[in-house]
Amino acid sequence: MRWLITGSGGQLGQCLVASVQARKNESLAGALDHAEFDIAKPGALEGLLRTGAAGEPDVLINAAAFTAVDRCESEEALAWRVNGEAPGWLAEDCGAEGLAFVHVSTDYVFSGTDSRPYPENGSVAPRTAYGRSKAEGERRVVDLLPEALVVRTSWVFGPGRNFVGSILRQARQRAAGEEGGPLRVVSDQSGSPTYAADLAEGILDLATLAFGPKAADARAEATDSDRARPREERGEMRGVFHLANSGSTTWFEFARAILDEAGYADLGIVPLATDELDLPAERPRWSVLGCERAARLGVGLRPWRDALRAYLGSASGMALREEPV
Ligand SMILES: NC(=O)c1ccc[n+]([C@@H]2O[C@H](COP(=O)([O-])OP(=O)(O)OC[C@H]3O[C@@H](n4cnc5c(N)ncnc54)[C@H](OP(=O)(O)O)[C@@H]3O)[C@@H](O)[C@H]2O)c1
């Protein structure tokens, strides 16, 4: 299949590009970063495809988003346009041009007040501008292109600015004597850290199952009685999936693991309550996503601590699987 990636300069976007390039039978029709392609313009994708500037893709994966959750509170109109409206415009253009579409979303669409993993069909109740905008994006994609996949994830780290890098920077500053005292990290938020390289592989695996040659053959061979059965029963894939590295932790425990794995076992951390931070956007106390739908199809990501080790051991921040599917 030929893949087109928007938001290719982001953590996930970079990993998607690397994963497609590493797979034998896949090709990259185009990788568009923010400077090359602004998703927040109606009809932009259709225009681009008509010029042939993005090759002849079969599948679009949208990894572009306005992800600065605190800035989304003060720049809500921009968040709404990029995260809420633009995915709908992309879905419409994909429908018009016959492309399959995968859109990426977040745990922030949930209230974050629960204590059991959120199922894929759990009630959406965002409490931040970022979460509301992302929930709107999902809603539009599913309404406008029901065949699309929406993949929610959480706590992403990969090539780019992220929590792991921030903890390591603070550790280096202390080791160099530039800063003193222990690190302070919140201990009352739980989630599943997710390595962007693993997420990219999982997304490509899901999209291949949904839109690849085998899925096309099955659709072509389906009889009228097959088509009369409910979609889930006949294995047709569409709608919302969750993908995150397995297991869960708190930011505090995650920071401890980062320091231990990176050789800073002696550096102390002090637990902090979320309320002590007084940030513009409310933080979900519970971000754990249940990934059963993907797991039933044989797509699952390794435990988060193994993923962290792989990330720390990879110079590029993109340790790819040794034998890509
Ligand atoms: N990071 C997380 O912890 C996390 C957690 C859950 C879900 N997610 C979701 O996962 C996906 C990927 O996130 P990520 O971590 O890879 O984020 P990221 O590193 O911030 O990458 C997002 C990319 O989108 C670009 N972008 C922003 N506005 C754009 C626009 N109007 N048109 C085109 N590109 C635009 C950004 O470019 P600029 O930097 O130039 O603006 C950036 O390169 C997003 O859908 C996000 O909502 C992320």
Side-chain angles (χ1 to χ4, degrees):
M1 291 200 290
R2 290 158 302 190
W3 306 78
L4 177 62
I5 317 290
T6 48
S8 65
Q11 299 191 85
L12 174 60
Q14 291 181 61
C15 290
L16 283 166
V17 170
S19 290
V20 169
Q21 287 173 331
R23 290 187 179 208
K24 280 195 202 99
N25 299 319
E26 310 294 337
S27 71
L28 192 66
L32 304 168
D33 67 18
H34 195 173
E36 290 164 312
F37 184 72
D38 183 354
I39 63 164
K41 288 182 186 154
L45 178 67
E46 199 172 1
L48 187 83
L49 292 171
R50 293 256 156 95
T51 66
E56 292 185 354
D58 301 304
V59 186
L60 169 69
I61 305 179
N62 177 37
F66 182 19
T67 57
V69 293
D70 288 323
R71 277 183 55 206
C72 287
E73 294 297 318
S74 53
E75 298 174 55
E76 193 158 2
L78 179 63
W80 190 258
R81 196 170 169 85
V82 177
N83 298 337
E85 293 179 302
W89 296 327
L90 292 175
E92 279 177 330
D93 288 354
C94 284
E97 297 294 321
L99 259 74
F101 184 36
V102 183
H103 176 61
V104 182
S105 194
T106 170
D107 57 283
Y108 271 71
V109 300
F110 294 116
S111 69
T113 55
D114 298 58
S115 53
R116 275 187 299 186
Y118 286 108
E120 293 83 350
N121 62 358
S123 298
V124 164
R127 291 163 70 116
T128 60
Y130 172 68
R132 285 189 293 277
S133 68
K134 293 290 291 184
E136 178 66 11
E138 292 185 352
R139 192 189 65 74
R140 289 187 188 215
V141 168
V142 170
D143 281 359
L144 293 163
L145 193 66
E147 299 78 15
L149 302 186
V150 172
V151 180
R152 293 190 190 122
T153 189
S154 62
W155 291 22
V156 176
F157 61 94
R161 286 162 59 111
N162 60 66
F163 181 79
V164 182
S166 155
I167 292 295
L168 290 178
R169 179 176 42 76
Q170 294 178 65
R172 277 187 218 108
Q173 285 169 341
R174 278 159 179 80
E178 294 161 12
E179 296 280 340
L183 270 62
R184 289 158 54 83
V185 181
V186 289
S187 58
D188 56 359
Q189 295 172 28
S190 297
S192 304
T194 301
Y195 183 21
D198 289 358
L199 177 62
E201 293 288 339
I203 289 174
L204 293 184
D205 288 349
L206 278 182
T208 303
L209 287 171
F211 310 124
K214 281 188 190 157
D217 288 350
R219 275 194 293 276
E221 285 162 16
T223 61
D224 285 345
S225 71
D226 288 332
R227 287 191 202 97
R229 285 160 56 214
R231 290 208 159 84
E232 278 282 330
E233 217 177 88
R234 57 185 144 104
E236 194 173 311
M237 287 174 58
R238 47 168 61 196
V240 177
F241 287 81
H242 290 172
L243 275 181
N245 280 119
S246 64
S248 65
T249 186
T250 63
W251 289 117
F252 178 85
E253 289 161 358
F254 187 31
R256 186 68 271 158
I258 295 163
L259 295 176
D260 291 351
E261 295 290 346
Y264 296 102
D266 293 342
L267 187 57
I269 320 177
V270 171
L272 197 67
T274 302
D275 290 344
E276 290 179 68
L277 287 173
D278 196 25
L279 296 167
E282 184 179 329
R283 296 303 198 264
R285 303 302 166 100
W286 182 257
S287 289
V288 183
L289 300 172
C291 301
E292 280 71 22
R293 255 195 107 191
R296 278 200 295 275
L297 296 162
V299 179
L301 309 189
R302 63 185 145 179
W304 65 262
R305 188 146 183 155
D306 295 347
L308 170 65
R309 257 182 232 121
Y311 173 63
L312 293 173
S314 109
S316 64
M318 285 193 272
L320 296 172
R321 280 199 319 222
E322 279 171 19
E323 287 176 27
V325 172

